[in-house]
Amino acid sequence: PRLTAALEQALADFAQSNNPVRSARLKQFKVGRELPRLTAARMYDLGEDALAVDVEMDWASSLTARVEIVSAGVGARVPVTLHNLRFAGPVRLVVTGLQSTAPGFGALLLSFPTAPSIGLEVRVAGGEVTRLPWLRTEVQKTIKRTVAERLLWPQRIVIPAEAPPARETPRPPFLDPSKLAALAHDD
């Protein structure tokens, strides 16, 4: 759900930053079955209540995102498919609010310490257009800008820990909302 929300926001940003595009809406999103390959890891002690791990990752995914782009001029609806995302670079995971009671932490902070290398293929109306410079360039610029604005350290995604289930009811976040909001800006 968080990845889908981030992709939807990136599409909205893409539509706002491109004159020929009126809107871009996510129609379908699948991560696929390929797992990332972890090639190295570094662990950092951040004190008594936190630790960090930087993991070098290579991922040639089978991710597929189907997007409907509406042109600004005539309002034509153009189906676009983004697929075969390739990712290489470090991923930082900070585990904060460490404690001896379950779940053992308060939240996870996910970011990139440096900008990763990202590639993907683009199809419009079923045809391969990776070689169409303007569309490929605009999609890649939008992805890189979104990564830099939302995920490049010190920016991060905050994933709250959930209290262990006592029964079949929705689980509340382990940390209160004000602490979770503060983690988006400070460890």
Side-chain angles (χ1 to χ4, degrees):
R2 291 182 190 274
L3 188 56
T4 301
L7 186 54
E8 287 171 343
Q9 183 59 51
L11 290 171
D13 294 347
F14 172 72
Q16 284 182 338
S17 66
N18 284 282
N19 291 335
V21 177
R22 180 186 308 158
S23 69
R25 187 169 61 113
L26 183 64
K27 302 290 275 181
Q28 183 182 38
F29 179 70
K30 295 180 183 176
V31 175
R33 294 181 177 253
E34 283 74 14
L35 297 174
R37 188 171 62 96
L38 308 179
T39 59
R42 291 170 296 287
M43 184 175 237
Y44 307 98
D45 182 359
L46 300 178
E48 291 184 23
D49 72 338
L51 63 91
V53 179
D54 285 354
V55 178
E56 290 290 330
M57 187 168 81
D58 287 325
W59 187 28
S61 77
S62 60
L63 177 144
T64 301
R66 288 190 169 77
V67 179
E68 180 182 77
I69 294 179
V70 178
S71 70
V74 295
R77 296 181 185 282
V78 181
V80 176
T81 302
L82 310 174
H83 63 105
N84 296 337
L85 172 74
R86 294 171 305 284
F87 174 97
V91 176
R92 176 167 292 157
L93 179 66
V94 177
V95 184
T96 188
L98 294 175
Q99 53 201 294
S100 60
T101 59
F105 63 97
L108 301 174
L109 312 179
L110 183 67
S111 66
F112 301 125
T114 59
S117 171
I118 298 173
L120 64 127
E121 295 173 25
V122 180
R123 288 185 183 162
V124 174
E128 192 69 41
V129 295
T130 302
R131 292 183 187 90
L132 287 182
W134 76 270
L135 181 59
R136 186 172 124 210
T137 300
E138 289 304 316
V139 169
Q140 289 179 337
K141 280 194 322 191
T142 299
I143 289 171
K144 288 177 182 179
R145 185 177 60 248
T146 300
V147 164
E149 289 173 358
R150 292 194 174 84
L151 290 170
L152 196 58
W153 186 261
Q155 303 301 317
R156 75 291 298 270
I157 294 175
V158 177
I159 305 166
E162 296 178 346
R167 52 189 137 89
E168 296 280 331
T169 59
R171 298 181 287 189
F174 192 72
L175 293 178
D176 67 63
S178 63
K179 288 183 181 178
L180 288 171
L183 287 172
H185 305 289
D186 187 25
D187 299 339

PDB file of all heavy atoms in Angstrom, residues 122-137:
ATOM      1  N   VAL A 122       9.340   1.166 -21.010  1.00  0.00           N
ATOM      2  CA  VAL A 122       8.059   1.852 -21.140  1.00  0.00           C
ATOM      3  C   VAL A 122       7.368   1.361 -22.400  1.00  0.00           C
ATOM      4  O   VAL A 122       7.991   1.282 -23.461  1.00  0.00           O
ATOM      5  CB  VAL A 122       8.273   3.388 -21.226  1.00  0.00           C
ATOM      6  CG1 VAL A 122       6.952   4.108 -21.369  1.00  0.00           C
ATOM      7  CG2 VAL A 122       9.044   3.890 -20.020  1.00  0.00           C
ATOM      8  N   ARG A 123       6.077   1.050 -22.281  1.00  0.00           N
ATOM      9  CA  ARG A 123       5.260   0.687 -23.443  1.00  0.00           C
ATOM     10  C   ARG A 123       4.054   1.613 -23.490  1.00  0.00           C
ATOM     11  O   ARG A 123       3.431   1.882 -22.475  1.00  0.00           O
ATOM     12  CB  ARG A 123       4.758  -0.751 -23.343  1.00  0.00           C
ATOM     13  CG  ARG A 123       5.817  -1.775 -23.546  1.00  0.00           C
ATOM     14  CD  ARG A 123       5.225  -3.158 -23.556  1.00  0.00           C
ATOM     15  NE  ARG A 123       6.297  -4.120 -23.696  1.00  0.00           N
ATOM     16  CZ  ARG A 123       6.193  -5.393 -23.420  1.00  0.00           C
ATOM     17  NH1 ARG A 123       5.069  -5.888 -22.977  1.00  0.00           N
ATOM     18  NH2 ARG A 123       7.225  -6.201 -23.585  1.00  0.00           N
ATOM     19  N   VAL A 124       3.726   2.072 -24.696  1.00  0.00           N
ATOM     20  CA  VAL A 124       2.533   2.887 -24.901  1.00  0.00           C
ATOM     21  C   VAL A 124       1.611   2.115 -25.818  1.00  0.00           C
ATOM     22  O   VAL A 124       2.024   1.695 -26.903  1.00  0.00           O
ATOM     23  CB  VAL A 124       2.885   4.256 -25.513  1.00  0.00           C
ATOM     24  CG1 VAL A 124       1.624   5.033 -25.845  1.00  0.00           C
ATOM     25  CG2 VAL A 124       3.753   5.049 -24.563  1.00  0.00           C
ATOM     26  N   ALA A 125       0.369   1.922 -25.375  1.00  0.00           N
ATOM     27  CA  ALA A 125      -0.647   1.204 -26.155  1.00  0.00           C
ATOM     28  C   ALA A 125      -0.116  -0.144 -26.644  1.00  0.00           C
ATOM     29  O   ALA A 125      -0.386  -0.551 -27.756  1.00  0.00           O
ATOM     30  CB  ALA A 125      -1.136   2.056 -27.315  1.00  0.00           C
ATOM     31  N   GLY A 126       0.679  -0.812 -25.827  1.00  0.00           N
ATOM     32  CA  GLY A 126       1.178  -2.143 -26.152  1.00  0.00           C
ATOM     33  C   GLY A 126       2.470  -2.166 -26.944  1.00  0.00           C
ATOM     34  O   GLY A 126       3.070  -3.215 -27.112  1.00  0.00           O
ATOM     35  N   GLY A 127       2.938  -1.016 -27.448  1.00  0.00           N
ATOM     36  CA  GLY A 127       4.160  -0.976 -28.244  1.00  0.00           C
ATOM     37  C   GLY A 127       5.354  -0.536 -27.419  1.00  0.00           C
ATOM     38  O   GLY A 127       5.222   0.243 -26.491  1.00  0.00           O
ATOM     39  N   GLU A 128       6.526  -1.033 -27.774  1.00  0.00           N
ATOM     40  CA  GLU A 128       7.756  -0.689 -27.057  1.00  0.00           C
ATOM     41  C   GLU A 128       8.201   0.707 -27.475  1.00  0.00           C
ATOM     42  O   GLU A 128       8.390   0.977 -28.650  1.00  0.00           O
ATOM     43  CB  GLU A 128       8.841  -1.704 -27.396  1.00  0.00           C
ATOM     44  CG  GLU A 128      10.043  -1.632 -26.517  1.00  0.00           C
ATOM     45  CD  GLU A 128       9.761  -2.093 -25.099  1.00  0.00           C
ATOM     46  OE1 GLU A 128       9.046  -3.090 -24.926  1.00  0.00           O
ATOM     47  OE2 GLU A 128      10.265  -1.458 -24.177  1.00  0.00           O
ATOM     48  N   VAL A 129       8.357   1.608 -26.496  1.00  0.00           N
ATOM     49  CA  VAL A 129       8.780   2.967 -26.823  1.00  0.00           C
ATOM     50  C   VAL A 129       9.974   3.395 -25.992  1.00  0.00           C
ATOM     51  O   VAL A 129      10.226   4.582 -25.828  1.00  0.00           O
ATOM     52  CB  VAL A 129       7.630   3.993 -26.640  1.00  0.00           C
ATOM     53  CG1 VAL A 129       6.516   3.734 -27.606  1.00  0.00           C
ATOM     54  CG2 VAL A 129       7.168   4.019 -25.214  1.00  0.00           C
ATOM     55  N   THR A 130      10.712   2.443 -25.455  1.00  0.00           N
ATOM     56  CA  THR A 130      11.869   2.792 -24.650  1.00  0.00           C
ATOM     57  C   THR A 130      12.811   3.696 -25.447  1.00  0.00           C
ATOM     58  O   THR A 130      13.521   4.508 -24.881  1.00  0.00           O
ATOM     59  CB  THR A 130      12.598   1.514 -24.191  1.00  0.00           C
ATOM     60  OG1 THR A 130      11.666   0.720 -23.458  1.00  0.00           O
ATOM     61  CG2 THR A 130      13.771   1.835 -23.302  1.00  0.00           C
ATOM     62  N   ARG A 131      12.780   3.585 -26.764  1.00  0.00           N
ATOM     63  CA  ARG A 131      13.661   4.413 -27.585  1.00  0.00           C
ATOM     64  C   ARG A 131      13.074   5.791 -27.890  1.00  0.00           C
ATOM     65  O   ARG A 131      13.728   6.607 -28.510  1.00  0.00           O
ATOM     66  CB  ARG A 131      13.973   3.676 -28.888  1.00  0.00           C
ATOM     67  CG  ARG A 131      14.836   2.449 -28.644  1.00  0.00           C
ATOM     68  CD  ARG A 131      15.212   1.762 -29.951  1.00  0.00           C
ATOM     69  NE  ARG A 131      15.877   0.521 -29.666  1.00  0.00           N
ATOM     70  CZ  ARG A 131      15.272  -0.644 -29.519  1.00  0.00           C
ATOM     71  NH1 ARG A 131      13.983  -0.725 -29.631  1.00  0.00           N
ATOM     72  NH2 ARG A 131      15.959  -1.737 -29.268  1.00  0.00           N
ATOM     73  N   LEU A 132      11.801   6.055 -27.511  1.00  0.00           N
ATOM     74  CA  LEU A 132      11.247   7.395 -27.695  1.00  0.00           C
ATOM     75  C   LEU A 132      11.841   8.298 -26.621  1.00  0.00           C
ATOM     76  O   LEU A 132      11.485   8.203 -25.458  1.00  0.00           O
ATOM     77  CB  LEU A 132       9.721   7.388 -27.579  1.00  0.00           C
ATOM     78  CG  LEU A 132       8.959   6.779 -28.741  1.00  0.00           C
ATOM     79  CD1 LEU A 132       7.468   6.880 -28.501  1.00  0.00           C
ATOM     80  CD2 LEU A 132       9.311   7.463 -30.051  1.00  0.00           C
ATOM     81  N   PRO A 133      12.738   9.177 -26.995  1.00  0.00           N
ATOM     82  CA  PRO A 133      13.500   9.935 -26.007  1.00  0.00           C
ATOM     83  C   PRO A 133      12.648  10.758 -25.042  1.00  0.00           C
ATOM     84  O   PRO A 133      12.880  10.739 -23.852  1.00  0.00           O
ATOM     85  CB  PRO A 133      14.398  10.831 -26.845  1.00  0.00           C
ATOM     86  CG  PRO A 133      14.409  10.248 -28.204  1.00  0.00           C
ATOM     87  CD  PRO A 133      13.146   9.476 -28.358  1.00  0.00           C
ATOM     88  N   TRP A 134      11.644  11.477 -25.522  1.00  0.00           N
ATOM     89  CA  TRP A 134      10.930  12.393 -24.631  1.00  0.00           C
ATOM     90  C   TRP A 134      10.176  11.657 -23.540  1.00  0.00           C
ATOM     91  O   TRP A 134      10.214  12.066 -22.384  1.00  0.00           O
ATOM     92  CB  TRP A 134       9.999  13.324 -25.407  1.00  0.00           C
ATOM     93  CG  TRP A 134       8.728  12.681 -25.875  1.00  0.00           C
ATOM     94  CD1 TRP A 134       8.523  12.048 -27.058  1.00  0.00           C
ATOM     95  CD2 TRP A 134       7.507  12.595 -25.142  1.00  0.00           C
ATOM     96  NE1 TRP A 134       7.247  11.566 -27.115  1.00  0.00           N
ATOM     97  CE2 TRP A 134       6.599  11.890 -25.956  1.00  0.00           C
ATOM     98  CE3 TRP A 134       7.094  13.032 -23.894  1.00  0.00           C
ATOM     99  CZ2 TRP A 134       5.298  11.619 -25.552  1.00  0.00           C
ATOM    100  CZ3 TRP A 134       5.799  12.758 -23.498  1.00  0.00           C
ATOM    101  CH2 TRP A 134       4.913  12.069 -24.317  1.00  0.00           C
ATOM    102  N   LEU A 135       9.484  10.559 -23.865  1.00  0.00           N
ATOM    103  CA  LEU A 135       8.697   9.860 -22.860  1.00  0.00           C
ATOM    104  C   LEU A 135       9.610   9.157 -21.858  1.00  0.00           C
ATOM    105  O   LEU A 135       9.431   9.278 -20.648  1.00  0.00           O
ATOM    106  CB  LEU A 135       7.748   8.852 -23.521  1.00  0.00           C
ATOM    107  CG  LEU A 135       6.853   8.071 -22.560  1.00  0.00           C
ATOM    108  CD1 LEU A 135       5.983   9.008 -21.732  1.00  0.00           C
ATOM    109  CD2 LEU A 135       5.990   7.089 -23.321  1.00  0.00           C
ATOM    110  N   ARG A 136      10.595   8.431 -22.361  1.00  0.00           N
ATOM    111  CA  ARG A 136      11.518   7.743 -21.462  1.00  0.00           C
ATOM    112  C   ARG A 136      12.250   8.729 -20.558  1.00  0.00           C
ATOM    113  O   ARG A 136      12.364   8.536 -19.353  1.00  0.00           O
ATOM    114  CB  ARG A 136      12.513   6.925 -22.276  1.00  0.00           C
ATOM    115  CG  ARG A 136      13.416   6.074 -21.396  1.00  0.00           C
ATOM    116  CD  ARG A 136      14.241   5.134 -22.231  1.00  0.00           C
ATOM    117  NE  ARG A 136      15.628   5.374 -21.917  1.00  0.00           N
ATOM    118  CZ  ARG A 136      16.629   5.210 -22.735  1.00  0.00           C
ATOM    119  NH1 ARG A 136      16.417   4.802 -23.961  1.00  0.00           N
ATOM    120  NH2 ARG A 136      17.855   5.428 -22.355  1.00  0.00           N
ATOM    121  N   THR A 137      12.716   9.829 -21.134  1.00  0.00           N
ATOM    122  CA  THR A 137      13.429  10.837 -20.365  1.00  0.00           C
ATOM    123  C   THR A 137      12.539  11.445 -19.294  1.00  0.00           C
ATOM    124  O   THR A 137      12.956  11.604 -18.145  1.00  0.00           O
ATOM    125  CB  THR A 137      13.969  11.941 -21.299  1.00  0.00           C
ATOM    126  OG1 THR A 137      14.850  11.340 -22.247  1.00  0.00           O
ATOM    127  CG2 THR A 137      14.695  13.017 -20.523  1.00  0.00           C
TER     128      THR A 137
END
